[in-house]
Amino acid sequence: AGEQGGGRSMLPAEIDALYHQMQHLGSKWADLHAEAELLEESKRIVLAAITTHFMNDGDSKSSGETKAFAAPEYTDHIRKMVEARRRANQAKVEFEGIKTHMNLTRTYEASRRAEMQLL
């Protein structure tokens, strides 16, 4: 199906499926990006909460903050933040990949139409 002149033309159903896949991947990227942004934006809040905990135990602000940077809760937050950003970046790569595929297909189809007019 879709064979003409030795090449393969995309069928409307295939284009529609790619479009829906692109929408799905775009939504996935948006969701993962939002998750990463939330973790990144809350980094200072987590640090402040841990610092306050140490200050309540008698540490100075400077000492409390130094201990907070090394606290397991903070390092865990950083680990989650970096992993969320990695997942968001991977989703963006998938989205951009299908977008590029669709653009290449459009260019290829336009070239095929131009060739057909020359024959």
Side-chain angles (χ1 to χ4, degrees):
E3 293 286 334
Q4 292 179 343
R8 186 175 185 281
S9 178
M10 285 195 87
L11 300 173
E14 291 175 281
I15 293 168
D16 190 53
L18 275 176
Y19 172 75
H20 287 293
Q21 185 179 6
M22 189 171 95
Q23 278 188 316
H24 170 74
L25 292 173
S27 292
K28 177 182 169 186
W29 172 38
D31 290 344
L32 291 171
H33 178 70
E35 180 184 334
E37 286 283 311
L38 180 63
L39 288 167
E40 289 163 2
E41 291 297 322
S42 64
K43 178 175 137 179
R44 291 183 63 174
I45 295 167
V46 171
L47 182 64
I50 299 168
T51 300
T52 300
H53 169 74
F54 285 117
M55 288 172 64
N56 288 341
D57 286 348
D59 284 303
S60 67
K61 183 176 188 281
S62 174
S63 174
E65 190 172 273
T66 299
K67 287 180 179 179
F69 276 119
E73 301 91 344
Y74 186 72
T75 56
D76 185 51
H77 182 81
I78 297 299
R79 214 174 284 110
K80 287 177 183 174
M81 186 180 79
V82 171
E83 177 58 19
R85 178 54 58 201
R86 186 197 65 74
R87 286 192 321 267
N89 287 342
Q90 182 61 42
K92 183 178 181 183
V93 167
E94 292 172 12
F95 173 74
E96 292 294 335
I98 198 162
K99 197 165 92 172
T100 299
H101 177 76
M102 289 195 64
N103 286 335
L104 290 171
T105 299
R106 181 176 38 225
T107 300
Y108 172 75
E109 292 294 334
S111 296
R112 282 178 41 89
R113 284 192 299 275
E115 286 175 8
M116 295 299 277
Q117 289 177 356
L118 293 175
L119 296 180

